Amino acid sequence: MGGREIILAITGASGGPYALRLLDCLDKAGVQIHLIVSPNGRRLLADECDVRNIEDVSLLGRACERIRIHDYEDIGGLLASGSHHTDGMVICPCSSNTLGAVASGRADNLIGRAACVTLKEGRRLVIVHREMPVNGIDLENMLRMQRAGAIICPASPGFYLRPRSIDDLIDFVVARVLDLLQVPHMLNARRQETPSP
């Protein structure tokens, strides 16, 4: 694969529409996407987005040669090695369970292993946590991840752009994630200076 490469992991916290919109925007930006979906992520996509098959047409509604789907259980796969260069990883949505596993250094599946590799290689890791409220354990895990080099980006849409639809709220979060991954996009999520009254 040539060009930029991003790992996208989808886990079981509510937020399937965020994941699919992010996948769409990464594809449109010409990014090579390494996709890992946990078993609970598969259930999430089925429950929230009616996606029953993890394949490009089901996920995007179109064929896409830039998506490579990896087996969640394959901890010896390509993404388990730091010698395979990527430009970063995002877990979107990220459940508290996955947050805790990665924060403790568990690498018993490909999501955990790829996240550990991303951190040890000094690459960008964005955690889009999507559970609420959070307890003290979640907060400690977020702090631990941030200190290890990850960026914690809760799925918290803003309202200063006056969203008019659910799609606007989704785009707000996805635009912030794309900014953090340094992927160009055309989503309207930038605050503009407003004249003083």
Side-chain angles (χ1 to χ4, degrees), residues 48-129:
E48 295 185 357
C49 305
D50 293 321
V51 172
R52 313 250 176 241
N53 297 308
I54 306 301
E55 58 188 15
D56 54 356
V57 175
S58 298
L59 294 163
L60 292 173
R62 63 182 182 270
C64 175
E65 295 180 0
R66 281 187 284 276
I67 298 176
R68 179 169 176 184
I69 299 166
H70 296 263
D71 182 353
Y72 171 79
E73 300 289 346
D74 187 11
I75 59 171
L78 181 71
L79 303 180
S81 173
S83 65
H84 179 80
H85 178 79
T86 68
D87 296 284
M89 177 175 180
V90 56
I91 306 176
C92 176
C94 182
S95 64
S96 289
N97 181 57
T98 299
L99 172 70
V102 175
S104 68
R106 278 185 46 209
D108 56 356
N109 60 64
L110 190 56
I111 292 176
R113 177 61 188 160
C116 288
V117 166
T118 300
L119 288 174
K120 84 178 180 68
E121 296 294 329
R123 299 170 188 157
R124 187 157 292 201
L125 174 61
V126 179
I127 305 288
V128 185
H129 188 261

Side-chain angles (χ1 to χ4, degrees), residues 4 25-26 28-31 175 178-179 181-187 190:
R4 299 195 69 212
C25 290
L26 289 171
K28 288 178 178 173
V31 173
L178 292 167
D179 286 346
L181 293 170
Q182 299 176 327
V183 172
H185 62 86
M186 298 298 290
L187 300 180
R190 305 217 185 279

